[in-house]
Amino acid sequence: MDLTAVPLVSLRVFQEVAERGTLSSAASALGYTQSAVSRQIAALERVVRAPLLDRQRDGVQLTDTGHVLLRHAGLVLAQLDAASRELSGLPATAGTVRLGWFASAGGSLVPSALAALRRSHPALTVTTREGTTASLTRALRARTVDLAVLASPSPLDDETPALRVKVLDEQELLLAVPSTHPLAHRDFVDVADLRDWAWIASPPPGLGVWPGLDERQAVAHMARDWMAKLQLVASGAGITTLPESLAAPVPQGVRTLRVRPRQKHCVVVAWLNLSEPASVVVDALVSGTHP
């Protein structure tokens, strides 16, 4: 096979499909039709003489061949982007860094880091986008973001090479229940007490359900925003989790409880390869949480 004649646009389309998980969402993000995306993928598959995607009813998964091509395509495209910056005469710490962040990180952590960077590194541009930890982990693998602030399970995924991470914050995870809930009168609850309740979680079901429960829990409502989750709790629609830093402003009708054994809510910044501009952004994020 000869990959040297593969158009760069095909590699960028493949990157986007790998991150988004569906052909339609990749087409929407790129401004293409779904048939145009399908043609680009089919052309790549003809070159590598193997399927790149396992097409399923709810989206696509990368095949083993797809994972290999994604790893190398990401490196090629990242090097070309770096060459463009260098040929433009930008200093090493200038350029653009693509930063992803999960919902609650946008409350103060990311904005404060961006404000500091505008003062200290005016030649550096940071573009941001919100996503779930799962979608941003895929974006890191596809190299469509350079860094991502994530609510971290451990490990983030089981692929190689392992993602590099730096802990930004670590807080105790609390439980939020309606003030009329059967558990609301207690000071502490045990993990065993959390089974069989209706949960309010982020889509796809993630943050909001107590981690490590030994059976699948029912998610009654999904919301990205922490305050929306807490308002749903106040209405009696279910229970949810929240980091300790968000316990003070809970709305009326919500009670927060500690759970035994205690669980940490860990926020990390993650990356695959750290360029000089990206390392500046990491330092700003760390400084914002550890002044």
Side-chain angles (χ1 to χ4, degrees):
M1 72 182 68
D2 182 10
L3 292 174
T4 58
V6 171
L8 291 179
V9 66
S10 296
L11 296 181
R12 293 197 186 276
V13 167
F14 177 55
Q15 262 192 331
E16 202 71 33
V17 172
E19 176 197 341
R20 304 284 176 175
T22 68
L23 298 179
S24 58
S25 58
S28 177
L30 293 166
Y32 294 171
T33 64
Q34 185 170 335
S35 61
V37 170
S38 295
R39 287 195 298 271
Q40 294 285 352
I41 298 300
L44 280 175
E45 290 178 327
R46 286 194 295 272
V47 172
V48 301
R49 300 173 189 171
L52 297 172
L53 304 173
D54 178 14
R55 292 161 173 82
Q56 303 170 352
R57 291 180 61 184
D58 58 348
V60 296
Q61 298 286 333
L62 293 184
T63 62
D64 290 343
T65 302
H67 281 291
V68 172
L69 182 61
L70 178 64
R71 185 168 68 249
H72 291 284
L75 290 171
V76 168
L77 294 171
Q79 285 297 317
L80 287 173
D81 290 341
S84 295
R85 292 194 300 270
E86 186 173 339
L87 290 170
S88 298
L90 294 171
T93 56
T96 298
V97 176
R98 301 161 299 175
L99 173 66
W101 45 275
F102 76 101
S104 65
S108 62
L109 175 58
V110 170
S112 62
L114 295 180
L117 287 167
R118 284 194 295 271
R119 295 190 298 270
S120 62
H121 292 79
L124 178 62
T125 299
V126 182
T127 61
T128 69
R129 51 186 277 198
E130 181 185 341
T132 64
T133 289
S135 68
L136 290 173
T137 299
R138 292 195 302 270
L140 286 169
R141 291 282 175 200
R143 299 178 191 269
T144 51
V145 297
D146 304 301
L147 302 169
V149 178
L150 308 171
S152 172
S154 182
L156 289 168
D157 61 20
D158 57 3
E159 294 185 31
T160 56
L163 293 170
R164 302 288 300 277
V165 300
K166 184 181 285 287
V167 175
L168 298 176
D169 193 23
E170 198 172 45
Q171 302 176 23
E172 184 175 355
L173 194 64
L174 303 180
L175 182 72
V177 303
S179 56
T180 56
H181 194 276
L183 299 176
H185 68 283
R186 298 164 62 172
D187 294 323
F188 284 89
V189 294
D190 295 315
V191 169
D193 299 322
L194 305 184
R195 300 189 185 99
D196 302 324
W197 299 110
W199 291 87
I200 300 163
S202 304
L207 288 175
V209 177
W210 195 264
L213 289 178
D214 55 7
E215 58 188 40
R216 187 174 179 84
Q217 302 300 303
V219 176
H221 302 279
M222 294 191 211
R224 291 185 187 274
D225 182 71
W226 285 103
M227 192 52 64
K229 291 181 190 176
L230 292 173
Q231 291 291 353
L232 285 167
V233 171
S235 75
I239 64 177
T240 194
T241 62
L242 76 165
E244 193 168 17
S245 63
L246 297 180
V250 297
Q252 187 175 2
V254 176
R255 177 101 194 279
T256 58
L257 308 172
R258 298 189 185 276
V259 179
R260 296 179 297 201
R262 295 185 175 186
Q263 179 79 35
K264 293 292 187 181
H265 172 77
C266 191
V267 177
V268 304
V269 58
W271 64 88
L272 262 177
N273 298 101
L274 198 61
S275 65
E276 286 193 58
S279 68
V280 171
V281 178
V282 170
D283 290 343
L285 290 164
V286 171
S287 296
T289 52
H290 302 88

